[in-house]
Amino acid sequence: MKKTAATSTAALLLTSALGAAALPDDAPDRTAGRPAPGRTPGPEQAASGTSSAGAPGIGDPYFPNAGNGGYDVAHYSIRLRYTPRGQHLAGTTTITANATQNLKRFNLDFIGHKVSSVKVNGAAASFARRGQELEITPRGGIAQGARFSVAVAYAGSPRQLKAPGLGRSGWIPTGDGAVTLSQPVGSAYWFPLNDHPADKATYAYTITVPKGLKVVANGELEGSANIGPTSTFKWRSSKPMAGYLALVAIGRFKTLDDRSPGGVRSFVAVDSSNQNSPKLFQELTAKVTDWGVRHFGPFPFDSTGGVIDDVRVGYALETQNRPVYPGGANMTLIVHELAHQWFGNSVSINRWQDIWLNEGFATYAEWLWSEQHGGPKAEALFDAAYSKPGDFAGWKAPTGAPGRQQLFAGFPVYTRGAMTLHMLRKTVGDDVFFRILRTWTAERAHGNATTADFRKLAERVSGRELDGLFDKWLFAQGKPSLR
């Protein structure tokens, strides 16, 4: 995510104020770890005397109320009907998951809406609402290793997260429909899920809207049909995705389905009231995508693209394979959000502390684009950032462990993250540096990783010990010395 040029060219994510707003006061603090995913299928029954409740948190100290333990999600099937007039949402989300322990009860993250029924493997299950938790107790429990399904039917008007001065998050109504922008924990406001990037899954959407509106989502369009006064669109994303990247955009869109010169399918949508040309938007998106392929490796998804909507927020978001831009997109913004397709979306963080692996890399992609397309060199951009005095507040939060209050702060996470990569590049040289990036995206494709994982890979590829570099630029407080 990046703050848009209309408000600022500085990179900025939703702040911890948003994260705090996303966690109801009555939600308990949780630090229980998440067990490793089960591998062996088993019958639906809890082992006598050994079953327990799945942890109500995934174990992330920055967001202790996010995610859940005891299971690993494989797939979400989201069926929704949305009526813009009245902003009413109704539907069923069906989750396919593997139990990683003997479960007598498990939780989903879900805020708002009236839940009318919950079924586990087709049988009615009891449930309770506790803060942001939907606690589900299936009949007989679920055995470790068993694959199971849970279907939650619900309806209501989605609530939103709000961060003063930064914009809204979650399910956001627009002039003619709605769009979802859910980093870091906004997805729980419009569908039930295990809301943490450590548990990625595939997605399918079946969205019904009034006739005349279109629906754009992650993945590929499988078909659409008009039935009476409504239209239904089916989308499917076959690559695993973190929950905050889930996209549903509803509106009167002008769309274009094409391919980049390098052969990557590109699907773009522009709100019909917007003056931006879908053709130009597609051309810019295609150009940046092909550039990214040359530097970062094969495009990790089946298509690239983007959505320009009339949503009134001050940031763009890297929703998987199809970023959302509010009102318009310049080249720098497109570079940033498409770089996230490799760094953040395909290779995802395993804990929020390591957000620099997303934002520092996307910011450095901006620097690389600039130096290769007639703008300032990366070295000049580094020097400009480094010129800030030692008492500048941005030096105080360590990039690799910024703390929740500074998790999405522009300079510590975005700019200093990019500076860390530039120092790595200067240390190992261009050939090795770009080999590190391509190896990272290849070996970690569609998975999760930590800062320690990146350091180890950089040391392996370069053949050099790099602890000093990473310790200084990621974890030391204060302005690092260039010596």
Side-chain angles (χ1 to χ4, degrees), residues 111-145:
I111 301 170
H113 302 86
K114 181 178 180 181
V115 176
S116 57
S117 72
V118 176
K119 294 182 179 180
V120 176
N121 292 335
S126 61
F127 62 92
R129 308 298 297 271
R130 304 187 190 280
Q132 76 176 61
E133 302 298 323
L134 176 61
E135 294 184 350
I136 300 170
T137 305
R139 295 178 183 177
I142 302 170
Q144 181 177 0

mmCIF file of all heavy atoms in Angstrom, residues 111-145:
data_model
loop_
_atom_site.group_PDB
_atom_site.id
_atom_site.type_symbol
_atom_site.label_atom_id
_atom_site.label_comp_id
_atom_site.label_asym_id
_atom_site.label_seq_id
_atom_site.Cartn_x
_atom_site.Cartn_y
_atom_site.Cartn_z
ATOM 1 N N ILE A 111 -16.290 -9.611 12.128
ATOM 2 C CA ILE A 111 -16.791 -8.450 12.870
ATOM 3 C C ILE A 111 -18.054 -7.940 12.197
ATOM 4 O O ILE A 111 -18.079 -7.694 10.990
ATOM 5 C CB ILE A 111 -15.721 -7.344 12.932
ATOM 6 C CG1 ILE A 111 -14.453 -7.877 13.602
ATOM 7 C CG2 ILE A 111 -16.246 -6.115 13.677
ATOM 8 C CD1 ILE A 111 -13.266 -6.951 13.492
ATOM 9 N N GLY A 112 -19.107 -7.741 12.993
ATOM 10 C CA GLY A 112 -20.350 -7.225 12.452
ATOM 11 C C GLY A 112 -21.179 -8.296 11.775
ATOM 12 O O GLY A 112 -20.868 -9.495 11.836
ATOM 13 N N HIS A 113 -22.265 -7.903 11.114
ATOM 14 C CA HIS A 113 -23.201 -8.778 10.424
ATOM 15 C C HIS A 113 -23.953 -9.689 11.410
ATOM 16 O O HIS A 113 -23.474 -9.969 12.498
ATOM 17 C CB HIS A 113 -22.519 -9.658 9.371
ATOM 18 C CG HIS A 113 -21.784 -8.896 8.335
ATOM 19 N ND1 HIS A 113 -20.487 -8.491 8.498
ATOM 20 C CD2 HIS A 113 -22.159 -8.461 7.105
ATOM 21 C CE1 HIS A 113 -20.073 -7.845 7.423
ATOM 22 N NE2 HIS A 113 -21.077 -7.793 6.569
ATOM 23 N N LYS A 114 -25.106 -10.151 10.987
ATOM 24 C CA LYS A 114 -25.881 -11.127 11.742
ATOM 25 C C LYS A 114 -25.635 -12.500 11.138
ATOM 26 O O LYS A 114 -25.907 -12.724 9.956
ATOM 27 C CB LYS A 114 -27.369 -10.790 11.696
ATOM 28 C CG LYS A 114 -28.223 -11.778 12.491
ATOM 29 C CD LYS A 114 -29.698 -11.399 12.464
ATOM 30 C CE LYS A 114 -30.532 -12.405 13.258
ATOM 31 N NZ LYS A 114 -31.978 -12.054 13.217
ATOM 32 N N VAL A 115 -25.106 -13.398 11.922
ATOM 33 C CA VAL A 115 -24.848 -14.761 11.463
ATOM 34 C C VAL A 115 -26.124 -15.570 11.655
ATOM 35 O O VAL A 115 -26.645 -15.688 12.767
ATOM 36 C CB VAL A 115 -23.682 -15.402 12.244
ATOM 37 C CG1 VAL A 115 -23.493 -16.856 11.822
ATOM 38 C CG2 VAL A 115 -22.397 -14.613 12.016
ATOM 39 N N SER A 116 -26.625 -16.149 10.560
ATOM 40 C CA SER A 116 -27.871 -16.916 10.642
ATOM 41 C C SER A 116 -27.631 -18.400 10.822
ATOM 42 O O SER A 116 -28.471 -19.100 11.410
ATOM 43 C CB SER A 116 -28.722 -16.689 9.388
ATOM 44 O OG SER A 116 -27.999 -17.026 8.216
ATOM 45 N N SER A 117 -26.505 -18.921 10.339
ATOM 46 C CA SER A 117 -26.220 -20.341 10.535
ATOM 47 C C SER A 117 -24.745 -20.617 10.321
ATOM 48 O O SER A 117 -24.062 -19.893 9.584
ATOM 49 C CB SER A 117 -27.044 -21.208 9.568
ATOM 50 O OG SER A 117 -26.552 -21.095 8.241
ATOM 51 N N VAL A 118 -24.273 -21.670 10.977
ATOM 52 C CA VAL A 118 -22.926 -22.188 10.776
ATOM 53 C C VAL A 118 -23.030 -23.701 10.634
ATOM 54 O O VAL A 118 -23.656 -24.365 11.467
ATOM 55 C CB VAL A 118 -21.995 -21.833 11.947
ATOM 56 C CG1 VAL A 118 -20.619 -22.473 11.749
ATOM 57 C CG2 VAL A 118 -21.858 -20.326 12.105
ATOM 58 N N LYS A 119 -22.421 -24.211 9.573
ATOM 59 C CA LYS A 119 -22.413 -25.659 9.361
ATOM 60 C C LYS A 119 -20.977 -26.137 9.198
ATOM 61 O O LYS A 119 -20.187 -25.517 8.479
ATOM 62 C CB LYS A 119 -23.228 -26.031 8.122
ATOM 63 C CG LYS A 119 -24.716 -25.739 8.247
ATOM 64 C CD LYS A 119 -25.470 -26.165 7.002
ATOM 65 C CE LYS A 119 -26.969 -25.898 7.158
ATOM 66 N NZ LYS A 119 -27.726 -26.316 5.934
ATOM 67 N N VAL A 120 -20.649 -27.234 9.874
ATOM 68 C CA VAL A 120 -19.352 -27.873 9.733
ATOM 69 C C VAL A 120 -19.556 -29.228 9.076
ATOM 70 O O VAL A 120 -20.311 -30.065 9.579
ATOM 71 C CB VAL A 120 -18.646 -28.027 11.093
ATOM 72 C CG1 VAL A 120 -17.330 -28.786 10.937
ATOM 73 C CG2 VAL A 120 -18.396 -26.663 11.719
ATOM 74 N N ASN A 121 -18.944 -29.419 7.932
ATOM 75 C CA ASN A 121 -19.142 -30.631 7.125
ATOM 76 C C ASN A 121 -20.621 -30.900 6.867
ATOM 77 O O ASN A 121 -21.085 -32.044 6.884
ATOM 78 C CB ASN A 121 -18.484 -31.842 7.795
ATOM 79 C CG ASN A 121 -16.975 -31.747 7.804
ATOM 80 O OD1 ASN A 121 -16.374 -31.066 6.968
ATOM 81 N ND2 ASN A 121 -16.338 -32.415 8.749
ATOM 82 N N GLY A 122 -21.368 -29.839 6.661
ATOM 83 C CA GLY A 122 -22.779 -29.954 6.314
ATOM 84 C C GLY A 122 -23.721 -30.074 7.480
ATOM 85 O O GLY A 122 -24.945 -30.015 7.293
ATOM 86 N N ALA A 123 -23.203 -30.227 8.698
ATOM 87 C CA ALA A 123 -24.050 -30.375 9.880
ATOM 88 C C ALA A 123 -24.053 -29.087 10.686
ATOM 89 O O ALA A 123 -23.014 -28.430 10.838
ATOM 90 C CB ALA A 123 -23.558 -31.533 10.745
ATOM 91 N N ALA A 124 -25.218 -28.730 11.221
ATOM 92 C CA ALA A 124 -25.329 -27.515 12.008
ATOM 93 C C ALA A 124 -24.377 -27.562 13.198
ATOM 94 O O ALA A 124 -24.244 -28.591 13.873
ATOM 95 C CB ALA A 124 -26.757 -27.322 12.484
ATOM 96 N N ALA A 125 -23.687 -26.455 13.446
ATOM 97 C CA ALA A 125 -22.765 -26.341 14.568
ATOM 98 C C ALA A 125 -23.185 -25.164 15.434
ATOM 99 O O ALA A 125 -23.761 -24.187 14.942
ATOM 100 C CB ALA A 125 -21.338 -26.145 14.065
ATOM 101 N N SER A 126 -22.924 -25.258 16.720
ATOM 102 C CA SER A 126 -23.229 -24.129 17.599
ATOM 103 C C SER A 126 -22.147 -23.066 17.450
ATOM 104 O O SER A 126 -21.001 -23.367 17.095
ATOM 105 C CB SER A 126 -23.325 -24.599 19.050
ATOM 106 O OG SER A 126 -22.106 -25.162 19.479
ATOM 107 N N PHE A 127 -22.527 -21.812 17.713
ATOM 108 C CA PHE A 127 -21.563 -20.722 17.567
ATOM 109 C C PHE A 127 -21.897 -19.601 18.533
ATOM 110 O O PHE A 127 -23.019 -19.496 19.036
ATOM 111 C CB PHE A 127 -21.538 -20.187 16.134
ATOM 112 C CG PHE A 127 -22.846 -19.603 15.659
ATOM 113 C CD1 PHE A 127 -23.124 -18.252 15.795
ATOM 114 C CD2 PHE A 127 -23.805 -20.413 15.064
ATOM 115 C CE1 PHE A 127 -24.314 -17.709 15.359
ATOM 116 C CE2 PHE A 127 -25.014 -19.879 14.624
ATOM 117 C CZ PHE A 127 -25.271 -18.533 14.767
ATOM 118 N N ALA A 128 -20.884 -18.763 18.790
ATOM 119 C CA ALA A 128 -21.063 -17.612 19.676
ATOM 120 C C ALA A 128 -20.202 -16.474 19.158
ATOM 121 O O ALA A 128 -19.152 -16.699 18.546
ATOM 122 C CB ALA A 128 -20.673 -17.967 21.107
ATOM 123 N N ARG A 129 -20.637 -15.235 19.378
ATOM 124 C CA ARG A 129 -19.872 -14.043 19.002
ATOM 125 C C ARG A 129 -19.209 -13.476 20.246
ATOM 126 O O ARG A 129 -19.878 -13.198 21.235
ATOM 127 C CB ARG A 129 -20.787 -12.978 18.378
ATOM 128 C CG ARG A 129 -21.666 -13.425 17.233
ATOM 129 C CD ARG A 129 -20.866 -13.897 16.033
ATOM 130 N NE ARG A 129 -20.040 -12.890 15.409
ATOM 131 C CZ ARG A 129 -20.462 -12.079 14.415
ATOM 132 N NH1 ARG A 129 -21.703 -12.145 13.979
ATOM 133 N NH2 ARG A 129 -19.627 -11.200 13.880
ATOM 134 N N ARG A 130 -17.888 -13.326 20.199
ATOM 135 C CA ARG A 130 -17.143 -12.748 21.311
ATOM 136 C C ARG A 130 -16.139 -11.751 20.740
ATOM 137 O O ARG A 130 -15.090 -12.153 20.252
ATOM 138 C CB ARG A 130 -16.443 -13.828 22.129
ATOM 139 C CG ARG A 130 -17.373 -14.914 22.657
ATOM 140 C CD ARG A 130 -16.663 -15.867 23.594
ATOM 141 N NE ARG A 130 -17.493 -17.017 23.908
ATOM 142 C CZ ARG A 130 -18.483 -17.038 24.799
ATOM 143 N NH1 ARG A 130 -18.758 -15.924 25.478
ATOM 144 N NH2 ARG A 130 -19.198 -18.123 25.015
ATOM 145 N N GLY A 131 -16.475 -10.454 20.796
ATOM 146 C CA GLY A 131 -15.607 -9.455 20.202
ATOM 147 C C GLY A 131 -15.502 -9.691 18.709
ATOM 148 O O GLY A 131 -16.496 -9.795 18.008
ATOM 149 N N GLN A 132 -14.266 -9.801 18.206
ATOM 150 C CA GLN A 132 -14.095 -10.052 16.780
ATOM 151 C C GLN A 132 -14.098 -11.541 16.459
ATOM 152 O O GLN A 132 -13.929 -11.931 15.302
ATOM 153 C CB GLN A 132 -12.792 -9.435 16.284
ATOM 154 C CG GLN A 132 -11.529 -10.196 16.669
ATOM 155 C CD GLN A 132 -10.300 -9.569 16.052
ATOM 156 O OE1 GLN A 132 -9.998 -8.415 16.327
ATOM 157 N NE2 GLN A 132 -9.605 -10.298 15.203
ATOM 158 N N GLU A 133 -14.320 -12.382 17.478
ATOM 159 C CA GLU A 133 -14.259 -13.826 17.283
ATOM 160 C C GLU A 133 -15.629 -14.433 17.006
ATOM 161 O O GLU A 133 -16.622 -14.093 17.667
ATOM 162 C CB GLU A 133 -13.671 -14.508 18.518
ATOM 163 C CG GLU A 133 -12.284 -14.037 18.900
ATOM 164 C CD GLU A 133 -11.265 -14.319 17.816
ATOM 165 O OE1 GLU A 133 -11.346 -15.370 17.156
ATOM 166 O OE2 GLU A 133 -10.378 -13.471 17.616
ATOM 167 N N LEU A 134 -15.678 -15.333 16.032
ATOM 168 C CA LEU A 134 -16.817 -16.211 15.835
ATOM 169 C C LEU A 134 -16.368 -17.587 16.311
ATOM 170 O O LEU A 134 -15.569 -18.256 15.647
ATOM 171 C CB LEU A 134 -17.227 -16.243 14.363
ATOM 172 C CG LEU A 134 -18.365 -17.203 13.993
ATOM 173 C CD1 LEU A 134 -19.653 -16.830 14.728
ATOM 174 C CD2 LEU A 134 -18.592 -17.215 12.486
ATOM 175 N N GLU A 135 -16.821 -17.993 17.494
ATOM 176 C CA GLU A 135 -16.422 -19.266 18.090
ATOM 177 C C GLU A 135 -17.374 -20.360 17.627
ATOM 178 O O GLU A 135 -18.588 -20.254 17.777
ATOM 179 C CB GLU A 135 -16.433 -19.173 19.612
ATOM 180 C CG GLU A 135 -15.395 -18.237 20.187
ATOM 181 C CD GLU A 135 -15.370 -18.255 21.706
ATOM 182 O OE1 GLU A 135 -16.289 -18.854 22.318
ATOM 183 O OE2 GLU A 135 -14.432 -17.690 22.290
ATOM 184 N N ILE A 136 -16.817 -21.421 17.073
ATOM 185 C CA ILE A 136 -17.618 -22.486 16.462
ATOM 186 C C ILE A 136 -17.326 -23.804 17.169
ATOM 187 O O ILE A 136 -16.167 -24.189 17.337
ATOM 188 C CB ILE A 136 -17.299 -22.603 14.960
ATOM 189 C CG1 ILE A 136 -17.620 -21.276 14.262
ATOM 190 C CG2 ILE A 136 -18.059 -23.759 14.329
ATOM 191 C CD1 ILE A 136 -17.119 -21.203 12.836
ATOM 192 N N THR A 137 -18.391 -24.506 17.570
ATOM 193 C CA THR A 137 -18.260 -25.804 18.231
ATOM 194 C C THR A 137 -18.957 -26.854 17.385
ATOM 195 O O THR A 137 -20.192 -26.936 17.381
ATOM 196 C CB THR A 137 -18.869 -25.774 19.646
ATOM 197 O OG1 THR A 137 -18.271 -24.708 20.407
ATOM 198 C CG2 THR A 137 -18.631 -27.094 20.366
ATOM 199 N N PRO A 138 -18.200 -27.659 16.627
ATOM 200 C CA PRO A 138 -18.820 -28.681 15.782
ATOM 201 C C PRO A 138 -19.224 -29.910 16.594
ATOM 202 O O PRO A 138 -18.632 -30.197 17.638
ATOM 203 C CB PRO A 138 -17.699 -29.029 14.792
ATOM 204 C CG PRO A 138 -16.440 -28.757 15.554
ATOM 205 C CD PRO A 138 -16.743 -27.615 16.483
ATOM 206 N N ARG A 139 -20.215 -30.617 16.114
ATOM 207 C CA ARG A 139 -20.648 -31.850 16.780
ATOM 208 C C ARG A 139 -19.529 -32.888 16.703
ATOM 209 O O ARG A 139 -19.038 -33.194 15.626
ATOM 210 C CB ARG A 139 -21.894 -32.409 16.102
ATOM 211 C CG ARG A 139 -23.129 -31.524 16.213
ATOM 212 C CD ARG A 139 -24.292 -32.143 15.471
ATOM 213 N NE ARG A 139 -25.474 -31.274 15.496
ATOM 214 C CZ ARG A 139 -26.610 -31.544 14.868
ATOM 215 N NH1 ARG A 139 -26.719 -32.673 14.158
ATOM 216 N NH2 ARG A 139 -27.621 -30.711 14.934
ATOM 217 N N GLY A 140 -19.145 -33.427 17.844
ATOM 218 C CA GLY A 140 -18.163 -34.495 17.849
ATOM 219 C C GLY A 140 -16.728 -34.047 17.705
ATOM 220 O O GLY A 140 -15.806 -34.857 17.820
ATOM 221 N N GLY A 141 -16.508 -32.780 17.436
ATOM 222 C CA GLY A 141 -15.150 -32.301 17.270
ATOM 223 C C GLY A 141 -14.545 -32.713 15.931
ATOM 224 O O GLY A 141 -15.177 -33.352 15.095
ATOM 225 N N ILE A 142 -13.291 -32.343 15.731
ATOM 226 C CA ILE A 142 -12.577 -32.640 14.481
ATOM 227 C C ILE A 142 -11.211 -33.192 14.842
ATOM 228 O O ILE A 142 -10.498 -32.635 15.684
ATOM 229 C CB ILE A 142 -12.429 -31.373 13.618
ATOM 230 C CG1 ILE A 142 -13.798 -30.781 13.290
ATOM 231 C CG2 ILE A 142 -11.660 -31.682 12.336
ATOM 232 C CD1 ILE A 142 -13.730 -29.405 12.647
ATOM 233 N N ALA A 143 -10.827 -34.292 14.209
ATOM 234 C CA ALA A 143 -9.558 -34.940 14.523
ATOM 235 C C ALA A 143 -8.397 -34.246 13.831
ATOM 236 O O ALA A 143 -8.535 -33.708 12.723
ATOM 237 C CB ALA A 143 -9.600 -36.413 14.111
ATOM 238 N N GLN A 144 -7.253 -34.268 14.461
ATOM 239 C CA GLN A 144 -6.041 -33.714 13.866
ATOM 240 C C GLN A 144 -5.773 -34.363 12.512
ATOM 241 O O GLN A 144 -5.848 -35.578 12.350
ATOM 242 C CB GLN A 144 -4.836 -33.938 14.785
ATOM 243 C CG GLN A 144 -3.542 -33.364 14.232
ATOM 244 C CD GLN A 144 -2.373 -33.536 15.189
ATOM 245 O OE1 GLN A 144 -2.545 -34.091 16.279
ATOM 246 N NE2 GLN A 144 -1.208 -33.066 14.798
ATOM 247 N N GLY A 145 -5.455 -33.531 11.513
ATOM 248 C CA GLY A 145 -5.175 -34.023 10.171
ATOM 249 C C GLY A 145 -6.393 -34.113 9.275
ATOM 250 O O GLY A 145 -6.251 -34.311 8.067
#
